[in-house]
Amino acid sequence: MGKKFQRQQYFKFNTRESIHDVIVIYDGSRPIGCGGYKRYDEQTMEIKRVYLEKEYRGQGLSKELMRRLEARAKIAGYNYAVLETGKPLETAMKLYEAIGYRIVPNYGPYVDMPNSICMEKKL
């Protein structure tokens, strides 16, 4: 029940109904990655559901996906991006740090979640 239970507590924050701006990466007709964002407040968007199939990692696709999400959000009028990741997701944290995100105190629904790490970036 350990890991599965931990993931389940995050599901309610990542529903399709709340994430409207999404980018999907394809290899031919096969979807291999995705990411999206949603409004957090008037100035800030929240990055959600960034994922890339294992065999496509290390090719710069995640950085490009993040760049495009941030560009779309900036066009939409957002000045900041926030995101939540987990302590076990070291590769994701390295990506976010490499593109300018910094760790901030846990926000919103993640305040009392000790395995969550929240990050922020000025767009």
Side-chain angles (χ1 to χ4, degrees):
M1 189 167 111
K3 285 186 180 184
K4 186 175 183 180
F5 178 77
Q6 286 178 345
R7 285 194 309 263
Q8 287 178 340
Q9 67 184 334
Y10 295 93
F11 289 168
K12 63 186 169 197
F13 308 124
N14 297 309
T15 64
R16 289 188 312 241
E17 295 81 21
S18 66
I19 305 169
H20 301 285
D21 294 280
V22 176
I23 295 174
V24 179
I25 302 171
Y26 289 90
D27 182 1
S29 62
R30 177 181 172 215
I32 59 163
C34 64
Y37 72 87
K38 69 177 186 176
R39 180 184 191 276
Y40 183 73
D41 63 33
E42 284 187 29
Q43 296 286 312
T44 310
M45 62 84 157
E46 184 179 20
I47 298 284
K48 304 301 285 180
R49 308 302 289 172
V50 174
Y51 177 78
L52 187 65
E53 293 280 348
K54 235 179 215 178
E55 63 265 30
Y56 291 91
R57 295 176 187 169
Q59 300 175 33
L61 294 172
S62 295
K63 283 184 182 177
E64 181 63 15
L65 172 64
M66 291 294 293
R67 186 193 69 74
R68 290 181 185 215
L69 287 169
E70 292 168 356
R72 288 173 85 174
K74 196 165 184 175
I75 290 167
Y78 293 105
N79 295 312
Y80 296 92
V82 293
L83 61 84
E84 181 277 337
T85 189
K87 287 182 180 178
L89 303 175
E90 293 175 18
T91 303
M93 285 191 54
K94 287 178 185 176
L95 165 69
Y96 301 137
E97 288 174 340
I99 60 174
Y101 284 80
R102 64 181 181 84
I103 296 174
V104 296
N106 285 9
Y107 60 85
Y110 310 109
V111 168
D112 294 323
M113 293 186 175
N115 287 323
S116 289
I117 295 176
C118 293
M119 303 180 90
E120 178 184 63
K121 178 180 179 179
K122 182 169 182 5
L123 299 176

